Amino acid sequence: MKIQIFRDFSITLLVSCAALFAGDAAASEGSAKRHSDQSYYVAMHDGVSLAISLYFPKSWQTGAKVPAVLMQTRYGRAGIGAWGRTQRWLDDGFVVVAVDTRGSTASFGQRLTELSPQETADVDEIVRHIKSQPWSSGQVFVAGQSYAADTADLATSRPAANLLGGVIHESEFDIYAHLMAPGGVINRGFLAEWGRVTLGMDLGRSGFDLGAPPRNCIVQVNDCSALYPILQPVDSDKDYARLRAALVGKNRWRSEDLLNITFRDDKGHNGYGLFDISPVAQLDGLRHAKVPVQYWGSWLDGGTAESVLARFRSLPEVPMEVWITANDHSNFRNADPFFPYVTEPKPALSDQLDLQTRFVRERLAGKKIARQIHYYVLGAGEFRTTSVWPVPDAQPWKLNLAADGSLAEQAGAAGRVVHDVDLTVGTGQRTRWSTQNGTPPAYGDRKEIDRRLLTFDSAPVDKAMEIVGTPVVSLVLSTRSDDPAVFAYLEDVAPDGRVTYVTEGMFRAIHRRPADRSSLPYDQGPAAHSFKREDAELVHPGETMTLEFPLMPVAALIRPGHRLRLAIAGADKDWFTIYSNGGSERFDVRIGEGGSHVILPARPWR
């Protein structure tokens, strides 16, 4: 898997976390791609100095007081000047403040984890510094995409910052559940590569671009300039002395620190857990600060759609304007599997920028932000709007797994289907998980791959319907191994036989104990599990168990004559850790009366 470094700032490799803020240069539409007007170090209370850059709008005149937008990144603050969205902030009269987060790239400090408590707390001092500047009106927004979105989300949990609002693109509300270990299955493909890339960045090496000649800023000063925009010295550091000093002696986490994590409350070798560094861990602060946000996610971008919806459900008192698209991680490319040749994003980039402008102008004017969700419908190419989630008129449609390979409303006679699991099966290199590493999703016809999976098809639907919400799969089965994982794919089967990806979910069986919802840290939606070590249940080979787990939420139009398919696998070798303790795997699935089923939130298409 090769990380693609594009010219535009959205180098999208996310941690949550996660992206190199990559994007397509052609999609940046008027991106500034400019050097900062000022760049310097700001010392935090503990003496750690952070690199900061300022970009002034052309409209600014000496003595004028203007608002600011703060973007904190771990991919090199110089990239913010080339991000297409930065130019719109400047056009709207904002000073853009870009910061290299503590311990990353040109900033000093240790980096034992991403999104550390110290890094999160830095925002109080950064915002205080911004407000003290002679050009500042005292009005500060936060914004960002991917990792910068995570920092922005966390910033809105800091009441002391007194932020006016946030524009947050593609964040992970719960880094464990929405990116690194969905369903308790470790996203090894993302984590290992992302860790390798960011390690090179923080140590001043060229490890983030496999096609570039080897560079090492610490060893060769001439290499420092070649690593721009990941590495940028401050204005006074003409000989790169301070930049190189920031790089030397960093105690930096590695991906191996996290690959051993199994449970939500586990700590990695670095002493930090994935949940602890998530925005959701600051739920009380988010409730107290009540910072209005425009919050973006996508049905086809990792777990960002569920992040949006989990935040919306869990914070009913916080104003949120939500946009859920079918775009890639950069929001520059449409990824709707029903329209594989349509790449223009929806909303178009210009419309996205207009929505941002409207939001910030309303906040500057003191207007109230309504709680609304605008969501794209796969296969329809259009958006719907709701103020309630789940949508109130979506009804549960239960389809039972039957002996003839069908999904039937009537359960039928009890039986069983035995499936020898192919542990070499994968979803390919262009998926909802690859977009986190800068490669947009491109789901083709899944007909051939489904021949290697266990599949069940519904009858053709006679009227158009919308699947909208979170499908839930309930599998009653026994397994050959004592540590199985299950992958389930919801698909659309057209009359001509084409199989189109709709959504997916994965689940490691040791997490199967249903959660006491009142004990959960936030509203996780249907079929919730704690993923805590104390709630783990061992799997005994050959013993029947029930795995009830959610798929990723989705909205999709199912047209008349099309069928729905549930495809079941035991691995995704391209992205996720393969379990089964290195042995072969077999699923013995109970079907019919009292057996396995899927529940789809559905309503007639209007």
Side-chain angles (χ1 to χ4, degrees):
M1 175 174 56
K2 181 176 180 179
I3 301 294
Q4 296 175 321
I5 301 293
F6 298 103
R7 293 182 180 177
D8 193 71
F9 170 58
S10 205
I11 305 176
T12 43
L13 199 144
L14 191 138
V15 83
S16 73
C17 253
L20 287 175
F21 281 120
D24 202 330
S28 61
E29 288 190 10
S31 131
K33 297 195 175 89
R34 53 176 278 190
H35 196 278
S36 56
D37 296 298
Q38 294 181 22
S39 186
Y40 51 91
Y41 280 108
V42 175
M44 299 293 100
H45 72 280
D46 58 358
V48 171
S49 293
L50 307 184
I52 183 170
S53 291
L54 304 181
Y55 299 81
F56 285 90
K58 290 181 179 180
S59 60
W60 182 72
Q61 296 179 349
T62 302
K65 302 285 188 178
V66 292
V69 57
L70 168 64
M71 302 186 203
Q72 303 173 87
T73 179
R74 60 101 55 260
Y75 303 118
R77 70 191 189 285
I80 288 174
W83 191 32
R85 301 182 201 283
T86 296
Q87 184 60 49
R88 178 55 70 92
W89 287 104
L90 295 171
D91 291 345
D92 287 343
F94 284 76
V95 170
V96 173
V97 182
V99 176
D100 289 331
T101 55
R102 174 181 291 249
S104 73
T105 56
S107 282
F108 287 81
Q110 301 304 321
R111 196 164 187 85
L112 299 179
T113 182
E114 304 298 314
L115 302 167
S116 70
Q118 296 89 346
E119 179 182 322
T120 300
D122 286 341
V123 74
D124 294 348
E125 294 184 73
I126 295 170
V127 171
R128 189 157 55 245
H129 171 77
I130 293 170
K131 291 183 178 182
S132 71
Q133 297 307 294
W135 49 261
S136 175
S137 68
Q139 300 162 304
V140 180
F141 285 77
V142 287
Q145 183 166 327
S146 194
Y147 191 93
D150 293 329
T151 64
D153 208 354
L154 285 163
T156 66
S157 74
R158 309 289 299 182
N162 193 24
L163 298 168
L164 198 57
V167 178
I168 300 172
H169 286 262
E170 319 301 316
S171 175
E172 274 73 31
F173 196 50
D174 180 348
I175 292 171
Y176 177 94
H178 303 156
L179 177 65
M180 297 296 193
V185 182
I186 294 295
N187 189 347
R188 179 176 292 270
F190 168 78
L191 180 55
E193 185 68 357
W194 182 79
R196 181 193 68 78
V197 169
T198 55
L199 178 65
M201 290 181 172
D202 293 341
L203 299 183
R205 301 172 186 168
S206 57
F208 48 84
D209 188 349
L210 296 178
R215 306 283 187 182
N216 190 322
C217 180
I218 296 175
V219 175
Q220 295 287 341
V221 67
N222 291 337
D223 283 350
C224 299
S225 61
L227 295 176
Y228 182 90
I230 302 304
L231 298 182
Q232 180 193 14
V234 300
D235 294 342
S236 62
D237 189 23
K238 304 300 184 183
D239 61 357
Y240 295 94
R242 294 207 71 187
L243 171 62
R244 297 173 82 193
L247 298 174
V248 172
K250 280 184 178 175
N251 191 358
R252 173 38 166 93
W253 74 276
R254 296 172 183 263
S255 58
E256 292 80 4
D257 295 335
L258 300 176
L259 287 170
N260 67 311
I261 281 181
T262 296
F263 301 100
R264 179 180 263 157
D265 49 351
D266 277 354
K267 308 296 182 185
H269 294 313
N270 61 353
Y272 290 87
L274 294 172
F275 181 80
D276 302 334
I277 62 175
S278 302
V280 70
Q282 306 303 323
L283 205 62
D284 288 343
L286 292 165
R287 287 193 184 108
H288 182 59
K290 293 186 178 64
V291 177
V293 294
Q294 186 181 80
Y295 207 90
W296 294 72
S298 169
W299 304 128
L300 277 302
D301 176 19
T304 59
E306 175 55 21
S307 289
V308 169
L309 296 172
R311 195 184 198 276
F312 189 87
R313 295 190 305 261
S314 303
L315 295 166
E317 57 276 275
V318 177
M320 288 181 64
E321 178 190 319
V322 167
W323 288 88
I324 305 178
T325 72
N327 298 334
D328 70 342
H329 193 57
S330 69
N331 255 322
F332 287 160
R333 185 184 180 96
N334 187 288
D336 186 341
F338 288 89
F339 305 119
Y341 303 110
V342 177
T343 59
E344 176 70 17
K346 290 188 176 183
L349 182 58
S350 59
D351 292 333
Q352 295 176 38
L353 296 174
D354 288 345
L355 289 167
Q356 171 184 302
T357 293
R358 178 189 50 75
F359 174 83
V360 300
R361 286 179 177 170
E362 288 182 356
R363 288 301 300 137
L364 288 170
K367 291 186 178 180
K368 183 178 179 181
I369 302 300
R371 281 176 53 86
Q372 283 191 325
I373 298 173
H374 309 277
Y375 68 91
Y376 177 92
V377 182
L378 301 181
E382 62 183 65
F383 281 83
R384 296 291 175 91
T385 297
T386 179
S387 59
V388 180
W389 196 273
V391 294
D393 59 342
Q395 299 300 312
W397 183 26
K398 182 177 180 180
L399 294 173
N400 300 279
L401 280 59
D404 59 356
S406 66
L407 289 174
E409 293 184 352
Q410 301 300 317
R416 58 199 295 177
V417 173
V418 176
H419 175 66
D420 287 316
V421 172
D422 184 346
L423 295 175
T424 68
V425 75
T427 50
Q429 298 303 309
R430 302 192 64 180
T431 72
R432 69 191 302 146
W433 307 110
S434 72
T435 190
Q436 303 274 334
N437 283 344
T439 302
Y443 287 99
D445 189 344
R446 287 179 52 85
K447 179 168 50 182
E448 290 304 316
I449 198 70
D450 278 358
R451 299 186 194 280
R452 301 163 64 187
L453 310 183
L454 178 62
T455 61
F456 297 87
D457 288 5
S458 74
V461 301
D462 55 0
K463 294 181 180 179
M465 67 169 55
E466 181 186 8
I467 305 299
V468 53
T470 302
V472 174
V473 170
S474 181
L475 294 180
V476 183
L477 79 168
S478 60
T479 61
R480 174 177 286 168
S481 83
D482 63 357
D483 189 14
V486 175
F487 295 75
Y489 304 93
L490 183 66
E491 300 166 337
D492 173 284
V493 183
D496 64 1
R498 177 182 172 82
V499 180
T500 300
Y501 174 95
V502 176
T503 189
E504 69 182 76
M506 59 286 298
F507 192 71
R508 191 176 177 186
I510 59 172
H511 300 293
R512 66 189 180 279
R513 178 180 293 179
D516 173 5
R517 299 184 68 86
S518 65
S519 69
L520 293 175
Y522 67 100
D523 186 345
Q524 293 178 205
H529 302 269
S530 76
F531 297 101
K532 290 184 176 180
R533 183 174 290 273
E534 66 183 13
D535 291 330
E537 293 188 349
L538 295 177
V539 174
H540 302 285
E543 185 174 299
T544 301
M545 57 186 168
T546 298
L547 308 182
E548 185 180 53
F549 60 96
L551 306 187
M552 294 290 180
V554 73
L557 169 62
I558 309 301
R559 298 182 182 276
H562 288 233
R563 293 172 287 151
L564 286 164
R565 172 173 290 176
L566 182 67
I568 299 169
D572 178 355
K573 70 174 181 62
D574 295 317
W575 294 100
F576 292 91
T577 295
I578 297 175
Y579 295 96
S580 82
N581 287 321
S584 62
E585 185 61 274
R586 171 177 288 177
F587 293 163
D588 189 337
V589 182
R590 281 26 171 209
I591 57 177
E593 189 68 33
S596 306
H597 60 268
V598 59
I599 297 178
L600 305 174
R603 64 180 179 182
W605 177 254
R606 300 182 180 89

